Amino acid sequence: ASIPLHSVNLSLPRTIFQLSSVSVPASEDPEPGWQRPRFYSIAKPMSIELPKQYDPHEAQQRWLTFWDEHGFFHSRPEPGRTPYCIVIPPPNVTGALHMGHALNNTLQDVLIRWRRMQGYNTLWMPGTDHAGIATQAVVERRLRVEEGKTRHDLGREELVKRIWQWKDQYEARILRQLREMGCSCDWARTRFTLDPVCARAVRVTFFKMFRDGLIYRGKRLVNWDTQLQTAVADDEIFHETVKGAFYTFRYPVKGTNEFIRFATTRPETMLGDTAVAVHPDDPRYQHLIGKTAIIPLVNREIPIIADAQLVDPTLGTGAVKVTPAHDPNDYQCGLRHRLPMINILNPDGTINENGGPYAGLDRYVARGRVTEDMEKLGLFDGREDRDIDLAHSDRSKTPIEPYLSDQWFVKMADLAQAAMDAVIDGRVKFFPERYAKTYLDWLGEKRDWCISRQLWWGHRIPIWYAYCPEAELKRAFAGRDDVVWRLDEENTRWLICALEDLPPDALGPKYPLEQDPDVLDTWFSSALWPHSTLGWPGPALPDQEPGPANPDWQQMRYYYPTSVLVTSRDIITLWVARMVITGLYNVGEVPFHHVYIHPKILDAFGETMSKTKGNGIDPLDIIERYGADALRFGMVHIATETQDSRMPVSNVCPHCGTLVPVKREHMYMQTRKVTCPSCKKPFRPGGPWPDEDPDLPTAKQASERFEIGRNFANKLWNAARFLLMNLEGYAPGALRVEELPIEDRWILSRLATATAAITEQLEGYHFSDVARTIYDFTWSEFCDWYVEMSKGRLRDPAGRAAAQRVLVGVLDAILRLVHPVMPFAAESIWQALNEAAFERGLPVPEPSAESVVIAPWPAFPAAWTDLAVEQRIARMQDLVRAVREVRSRYDLKTSVDVFVRCGETVADDFRALAAFITLLAGVGRLECGPNVQKPPQSATHVHPDFEAYVSLRGLIDVDAEAKRLEKQLAEKRKHLQGAQAKLENPNFREKAPAEVVQQQRDLVADLQNQIRAIEANLRELRQA
RNA sequence: GGGCGCUUAGCUCAGUUGGCUAGAGCACCAGCUCGACACGCUGGGGGUCAUAGGUUCAAGUCCUAUAGCGCCCACCA
């Protein structure tokens, strides 16, 4: 078999491709979708030429296919190899991915690609989340907007069908986005939180918890969304200040002439009052405690109670009406005092039959009516306008009503403690560490977790209700260990939990079963993600240890616990904590060893990006404009320890391409139309528009933050291009580092240092440093200095061979180092290098891996780091920069003569590097040594190790030169003054470490010498 | 109200355990098409490190307070 040429084609001229022989071992791999890596050997070295600019799109297309075909991303358990596993935080299928996802997934891919190169058996598990309420709300909104229908018009089955269609569309889009970003996920394993494998895990977990008494049903106060008619979680609400009022009323106190005054923002809740509370120590109300008040509108008698927790005597009147069914604090108070709880609302927000004459009215209408009626009774003491911070539903944007309803809960006390212990004893470590506090604080509250949602989209609660004698259950489910039952709180109804769905007639026609209509909180299935995606629990029942015969269990045992979870801080409580809980509960082990929390991306105004605000960017826009490598580099560059990062966004004018910065008023879909300041044509700003606009073209978005990555990819490309143009005659061969010339030892020293640093930075999740280190080494050291120095050597037959080997070897290392961050650019160059220099590497060349994806991660001997050599090159760089500065100042186009007065050792060094100095600084004659004299008209540069004179015969501007020297002199004197003052301080000499004091002494001596030298030069200049 | 961060050049950010004259990219100014790269090269200008105290021989770095910004949690009869 042979690989067709086009699969490794590089869009280079055909003729330069001379693949000699290509062979693929016969594949007997049984697993579908997996292909054994292919091997081929490569042709003879020759110089080849790349296009002038890196074309990211071509690279993306080519290498995505190439990687897929080779199955590099697929992982299977291999007992001899250490696994490295990450499960993706599954994106919601509510919509497309945004920048936060781009960041999150880039960082995961960097880790996965790096560890893969290190030889780990890496698995990155991809997938998406059904995102219960969020997805249903999106689809319901569309239904309302486009068809004017509610979910009830459609019915449960039809709505769920519609949501599945939505899911299919967005899941595909999300997976495409991930793929185009270069994420090296094991795509064959892609999961969805509602697919059968995950559903099985949910069912088994629920069953276990119910059986263990950890799941219960009870009446609790929840956040009720009256539009979606469901409970929503605390984290699904937001607070918004609205105009409201503070109403003051009086209730008569029974058997007295007294009244008790109180204030409320929600007068209609008087219908549900079951007490009035005062502070037990409040002298104003001592005599009323224990008496009875009357609610006139419904003629209910309610007690006046003392409650120190509910009442703050310094606020308002000091007396509080208590509505346990419609206020969280009152609810707690109601529990403490065993008050009745009267629910006055229907699910749609109208008053129910408990509201007597007000039944059927909307709650806001009732509010007015109640107030009027109280006024008629003379019990209304006025209202005061006030801004009220009101809870709203995230999904429907309507005000939340606290509402008493039946819900399912998980008891958290023991589960939470186990999860806390795992972090306290270090089985799970947070990076940065401080986030452990968020986790521990939240779990420490041990609040029971409400897991039921009155929705249609999600995992149905596996509970069936029946009214019957228990004997019926025992008979019907005899011998079955997959069905358990318990009586509800009122002891009237059986709650039956089953691993498999029960038919309605399971108990016979006399006792029909009815399944709970609710679904589970979406986080219930997300909480199982690390083990459910790996196949837990397999076909076995929870009590049976599955054993070696179960392949799913074997697989889970291999990859679980996973290595690291990469996520953002806002779901530490919602998700991270719950994964630890269920992991410990189901598997008995933590789900991951590390949790890395990355920063958030903000817009230009410091606000988080969100779809609602419309300040987000589609990663595909960035990929289209700058390339996937640039997107990834930008993301890695941004990922610092502490700091959220601002990302100013621009709209790209669809007519003329001008970048128009996004302003505040463009957000929240407020501005439908923007006029381009350059071409004056209108367009619609890019963003979260729900539909197309046929008349107005929509702008793509851009951000200059990605230019750095695009430029870097191009720089790397061109460095490679230069090399490939100069590889004629390249012959691989071993190098003895200690025998190499100084410039080679320098770049190898720098390379060894950079490589070690990057490895360490990756280990510590210091992503931003990784980007910086690889960028600086590649650009400022390799390209700016080493490549420039190599130009002379490549022309010199004596030096050419070694220079080629070192250049190729260093570039090879750079490609490996950069690959986790910029895989497409790295692969493009890697493949080109494979054509021209298949055997390469330092110090001993080896045949190259067929892809940089599987090339070994580099590591170099610590002995290569040579600080003395680095110092010598740094001195040369100082000399070169000094000469360049003079040339630039005098605008010199021709070469200059340079005279350097220095010690013999330094002079030897400069002589050895003379070729580079003349090349890099444009020097004609270079003289150095202790006896070198300053030429009459020259510019001076004073350095601790030398004095350099640039001859300016006939060109010198004496005044300007003197002025410059004086400025320098002033700076040095000021610095000297500071340094001397420090040294003269006896406390400093005594208390500071000896080496610091010595450093200071050396500095003073240096400065004094330099000042003397500058003074001397100034004198000479003036005399001349 | 509680907690966690942040405030360094016009902009976006680095700055390890306190220790030589605080760095980068972009933007700005000047010059460069010289055979890798104008998505480039060379040189340059630009900062009272939010403010006020304190600790220390020494503070951008540690402590306290203040102001502003962001996020999380709780709460507002």
Side-chain angles (χ1 to χ4, degrees):
Chain A
S2 69
I3 289 188
L5 264 182
H6 65 255
S7 77
V8 287
N9 191 346
L10 283 161
S11 82
L12 309 174
R14 271 254 150 128
T15 49
I16 62 167
F17 273 86
Q18 302 203 347
L19 292 174
S20 51
S21 78
V22 170
S23 67
V24 180
S27 170
E28 66 278 81
D29 195 299
E31 194 168 327
W34 155 257
Q35 282 182 302
R36 184 178 293 278
R38 295 164 175 170
F39 301 94
Y40 55 89
S41 60
I42 289 289
K44 41 191 158 172
M46 51 185 30
S47 81
I48 60 179
E49 188 164 334
L50 301 173
K52 234 176 160 179
Q53 266 194 4
Y54 172 54
D55 177 351
H57 301 103
E58 221 221 322
Q60 282 154 221
Q61 216 183 350
R62 180 182 320 265
W63 304 124
L64 282 177
T65 313
F66 179 78
W67 296 332
D68 268 357
E69 282 172 351
H70 288 71
F72 292 138
F73 306 157
H74 185 66
S75 173
R76 282 173 308 165
E78 290 175 55
R81 285 175 71 203
T82 313
Y84 184 87
C85 178
I86 296 179
V87 291
I88 201 170
N92 292 348
V93 290
T94 38
L97 300 187
H98 56 251
M99 274 298 137
H101 293 112
L103 174 65
N104 178 253
N105 290 297
T106 297
L107 300 184
Q108 291 175 73
D109 196 44
V110 167
L111 292 172
I112 284 284
R113 285 180 182 269
W114 163 57
R115 293 295 193 184
R116 188 183 290 120
M117 292 174 82
Q118 282 192 327
Y120 289 87
N121 184 356
T122 50
L123 167 60
W124 186 10
M125 176 78 68
T128 51
D129 195 304
H130 69 281
I133 188 169
T135 315
Q136 181 168 330
V138 171
V139 175
E140 278 194 61
R141 194 178 309 141
R142 275 179 85 91
L143 194 65
R144 202 164 52 240
V145 171
E146 290 175 8
E147 302 176 37
K149 288 183 182 162
T150 72
R151 71 182 199 230
H152 303 285
D153 296 332
L154 246 62
R156 183 163 190 151
E157 207 176 311
E158 179 60 24
L159 182 82
V160 168
K161 211 173 108 193
R162 296 277 187 106
I163 306 176
W164 273 103
Q165 286 166 1
W166 173 278
K167 171 258 169 187
D168 287 342
Q169 185 187 340
Y170 276 91
E171 180 188 52
R173 174 139 183 221
I174 287 166
L175 295 177
R176 201 188 98 208
Q177 283 177 308
L178 289 174
R179 225 179 95 81
E180 297 209 355
M181 281 166 49
C183 293
S184 58
C185 299
D186 190 347
W187 301 109
R189 295 177 184 269
T190 306
R191 286 272 174 254
F192 175 57
T193 49
L194 284 183
D195 69 22
V197 174
C198 295
R200 170 88 189 153
V202 164
R203 187 60 81 85
V204 171
T205 305
F206 191 99
F207 181 87
K208 273 181 68 186
M209 286 182 164
F210 182 83
R211 193 196 53 191
D212 295 350
L214 291 170
I215 284 183
Y216 64 92
R217 182 173 164 84
K219 273 206 189 310
R220 294 295 182 273
L221 201 67
V222 296
N223 305 305
W224 191 259
D225 181 324
T226 57
Q227 183 172 323
L228 296 170
Q229 301 190 22
T230 175
V232 296
D234 290 343
D235 46 86
E236 289 164 337
I237 62 179
F238 66 95
H239 290 264
E240 199 173 85
T241 305
V242 298
K243 293 252 177 276
F246 220 49
Y247 302 76
T248 307
F249 299 100
R250 281 178 289 161
Y251 283 161
V253 180
K254 191 183 172 190
T256 70
N257 300 327
E258 282 194 68
F259 295 91
I260 188 156
R261 293 177 74 225
F262 58 87
T264 178
T265 55
R266 293 183 297 160
E268 73 279 12
T269 60
M270 276 193 268
L271 303 170
D273 282 357
T274 54
V276 176
V278 298
H279 194 274
D281 303 332
D282 193 331
R284 292 173 291 180
Y285 298 113
Q286 288 301 316
H287 64 292
L288 294 179
I289 294 172
K291 293 214 159 65
T292 300
I294 296 166
I295 309 175
L297 304 175
V298 287
N299 276 317
R300 188 159 60 235
E301 296 188 359
I302 56 174
I304 297 173
I305 59 173
D307 190 311
Q309 277 182 60
L310 182 69
V311 182
D312 179 345
T314 64
L315 287 178
T317 63
V320 181
K321 65 193 269 306
V322 184
T323 325
H326 294 286
D327 182 279
N329 293 312
D330 295 4
Y331 175 72
Q332 292 302 327
C333 173
L335 290 179
R336 285 193 293 272
H337 297 273
R338 296 179 185 280
L339 296 173
M341 306 206 175
I342 302 175
N343 180 6
I344 60 161
L345 288 179
N346 290 313
D348 64 357
T350 56
I351 304 293
N352 67 14
E353 65 282 2
N354 290 329
Y358 304 93
L361 296 178
D362 181 83
R363 62 196 189 281
Y364 295 117
V365 177
R367 177 173 301 174
R369 204 67 69 75
V370 163
T371 308
E372 283 167 28
D373 293 347
M374 285 295 277
E375 187 165 18
K376 282 178 199 152
L377 294 170
L379 298 172
F380 175 49
D381 287 359
R383 54 170 278 176
E384 177 194 332
D385 286 335
R386 183 183 272 215
D387 288 336
I388 295 168
D389 194 26
L390 200 61
H392 286 69
S393 166
D394 234 352
R395 301 304 164 195
S396 70
K397 316 296 172 200
T398 57
I400 288 292
E401 292 297 328
Y403 184 77
L404 200 60
S405 65
D406 285 308
Q407 303 292 342
W408 288 94
F409 293 88
V410 175
K411 277 186 198 165
M412 292 294 276
D414 295 342
L415 295 173
Q417 188 57 51
M420 289 170 77
D421 292 345
V423 165
I424 291 165
D425 66 25
R427 275 173 290 155
V428 175
K429 274 179 79 177
F430 277 85
F431 296 80
E433 240 174 298
R434 71 191 130 92
Y435 288 112
K437 189 173 158 51
T438 308
Y439 172 97
L440 292 171
D441 285 354
W442 185 79
L443 278 177
E445 293 182 25
K446 299 182 179 174
R447 288 198 293 182
D448 287 354
W449 173 16
C450 176
I451 50 169
S452 45
R453 295 289 184 274
Q454 290 65 52
L455 297 169
W456 293 347
W457 174 244
H459 293 280
R460 189 89 179 254
I461 291 180
I463 289 284
W464 286 261
Y465 299 108
Y467 297 89
C468 67
E470 188 172 16
E472 295 291 334
L473 299 176
K474 284 184 173 159
R475 192 176 52 232
F477 303 123
R480 287 181 66 170
D481 56 5
D482 62 339
V483 183
V484 292
W485 55 84
R486 195 180 329 128
L487 277 172
D488 67 4
E489 278 183 335
E490 286 89 29
N491 289 317
T492 54
R493 196 162 60 152
W494 290 108
L495 313 173
I496 305 161
C497 182
L499 275 180
E500 304 295 336
D501 282 358
L502 296 176
D505 60 354
L507 298 175
K510 203 175 160 192
Y511 304 109
L513 286 181
E514 194 192 332
Q515 187 176 4
D516 190 303
D518 291 355
V519 300
L520 288 165
D521 178 10
T522 196
W523 296 107
F524 194 91
S525 53
S526 323
L528 311 177
W529 189 247
H531 55 281
S532 68
T533 51
L534 287 169
W536 182 92
L541 288 176
D543 295 327
Q544 301 165 343
E545 178 64 25
N550 181 341
D552 290 323
W553 185 261
Q554 289 306 308
Q555 169 170 286
M556 217 204 59
R557 277 295 161 205
Y558 183 73
Y559 292 112
Y560 192 97
T562 66
S563 307
V564 58
L565 180 82
V566 177
T567 191
S568 149
R569 61 175 175 267
D570 40 16
I571 51 175
I572 290 173
T573 55
L574 298 173
W575 191 45
V576 179
R578 286 166 181 166
M579 281 192 285
V580 178
I581 285 172
T582 65
L584 290 169
Y585 178 70
N586 279 340
V587 189
E589 271 187 79
V590 296
F592 27 71
H593 299 298
H594 290 176
V595 178
Y596 169 67
I597 304 291
H598 55 70
K600 304 201 67 157
I601 299 178
L602 312 175
D603 68 10
F605 315 107
E607 294 192 48
T608 52
M609 289 185 172
S610 77
K611 189 165 273 182
T612 345
K613 288 180 190 166
N615 53 357
I617 320 177
D618 185 340
L620 292 182
D621 279 5
I622 298 302
I623 291 177
E624 191 184 309
R625 187 176 178 86
Y626 305 96
D629 295 301
L631 171 70
R632 295 170 60 111
F633 187 87
M635 291 291 117
V636 174
H637 196 251
I638 238 174
T640 59
E641 270 276 286
T642 52
Q643 175 91 11
D644 290 344
S645 197
R646 289 181 188 220
M647 181 173 291
V649 180
S650 291
N651 286 300
V652 184
C653 171
H655 311 288
C656 70
T658 304
L659 291 189
V660 186
V662 170
K663 297 193 185 123
R664 268 216 151 85
E665 59 262 30
H666 299 156
M667 287 160 56
Y668 295 99
M669 297 198 216
Q670 282 165 359
T671 310
R672 257 198 122 81
K673 195 162 134 183
V674 172
T675 304
C676 173
S678 169
C679 70
K680 312 292 178 202
K681 287 183 194 157
F683 63 84
R684 188 168 63 161
W689 308 99
D691 45 39
E692 296 289 308
D693 186 329
D695 305 321
L696 212 51
T698 302
K700 300 256 183 193
Q701 293 184 302
S703 174
E704 62 187 28
R705 302 293 302 270
F706 296 102
E707 286 174 8
I708 183 172
R710 180 198 57 186
N711 295 354
F712 182 45
N714 195 53
K715 184 73 180 178
L716 189 60
W717 176 261
N718 274 289
R721 183 167 172 257
F722 166 77
L723 237 91
L724 291 166
M725 288 164 68
N726 285 283
L727 279 189
E728 220 167 297
Y730 169 79
L735 294 169
R736 298 172 70 92
V737 172
E738 62 282 3
E739 289 171 7
L740 290 172
I742 177 169
E743 64 276 14
D744 289 346
R745 276 181 287 147
W746 172 74
I747 196 66
L748 295 183
S749 172
R750 297 303 306 147
L751 173 64
T753 305
T755 303
I758 290 168
T759 307
E760 205 182 308
Q761 287 153 355
L762 283 167
E763 279 164 359
Y765 305 102
H766 299 296
F767 291 99
S768 176
D769 292 340
V770 171
R772 208 178 308 280
T773 307
I774 184 72
Y775 181 94
D776 287 344
F777 174 72
T778 304
W779 201 308
S780 310
E781 304 193 287
F782 183 64
C783 291
D784 285 354
W785 291 97
Y786 190 75
V787 168
E788 291 307 320
M789 286 192 269
S790 79
K791 285 179 178 171
R793 299 173 69 202
L794 286 169
R795 273 179 243 126
D796 168 18
R800 183 174 168 90
Q804 282 177 330
R805 289 179 195 174
V806 177
L807 278 167
V808 166
V810 175
L811 180 64
D812 174 272
I814 288 174
L815 295 176
R816 296 177 204 232
L817 293 170
V818 83
H819 159 255
V821 182
M822 303 203 299
F824 298 106
E827 186 74 287
S828 299
I829 301 169
W830 184 268
Q831 296 298 339
L833 216 48
N834 275 3
E835 304 301 325
F838 181 61
E839 286 187 37
R840 58 179 185 267
L842 298 167
V844 180
E846 284 172 11
S848 300
E850 63 171 335
S851 164
V852 70
V853 170
I854 52 166
W857 184 251
F860 299 105
W864 284 16
T865 303
D866 187 335
L867 294 180
V869 163
E870 292 191 14
Q871 224 169 1
R872 288 163 64 192
I873 294 290
R875 189 163 55 205
M876 178 207 76
Q877 291 173 329
D878 282 335
L879 176 62
V880 169
R881 288 197 188 99
V883 176
R884 282 172 176 170
E885 195 267 332
V886 174
R887 293 175 59 90
S888 173
R889 202 147 34 86
Y890 284 92
D891 200 18
L892 301 177
K893 311 286 187 205
T894 53
S895 64
V896 291
D897 294 338
V898 174
F899 303 86
V900 185
R901 187 191 296 157
C902 58
E904 263 315 328
T905 340
V906 177
D908 282 346
D909 225 37
F910 282 154
R911 284 183 205 116
L913 295 163
F916 304 130
I917 297 169
T918 52
L919 181 75
L920 299 175
V923 172
R925 200 168 132 216
L926 176 68
E927 273 184 36
C928 28
N931 301 320
V932 165
Q933 291 304 306
K934 181 185 177 183
Q937 291 186 332
S938 59
T940 310
H941 176 79
V942 177
H943 180 276
D945 292 348
F946 61 84
E947 277 173 54
Y949 310 110
V950 180
S951 173
L952 291 169
R953 211 160 314 147
L955 294 165
I956 195 161
D957 178 338
V958 175
D959 285 345
E961 199 58 32
K963 220 168 147 185
R964 193 181 125 262
L965 284 177
E966 267 161 10
K967 193 181 155 204
Q968 271 181 24
L969 193 59
E971 278 169 14
K972 302 268 183 205
R973 279 182 175 148
K974 197 174 153 204
H975 187 198
L976 178 66
Q977 216 174 9
Q980 273 175 332
K982 208 170 183 181
L983 208 53
E984 278 158 16
N985 181 343
N987 279 327
F988 172 72
R989 293 197 305 268
E990 282 161 29
K991 295 189 180 172
E995 64 199 62
V996 173
V997 177
Q998 189 52 48
Q999 259 175 15
Q1000 203 64 22
R1001 289 212 166 93
D1002 295 346
L1003 175 67
V1004 166
D1006 256 356
L1007 284 168
Q1008 284 168 336
N1009 283 333
Q1010 290 180 45
I1011 286 168
R1012 265 197 296 278
I1014 296 172
E1015 283 169 343
N1017 279 295
L1018 255 176
R1019 271 197 304 278
E1020 276 180 67
L1021 193 68
R1022 294 211 168 97
Q1023 284 162 9

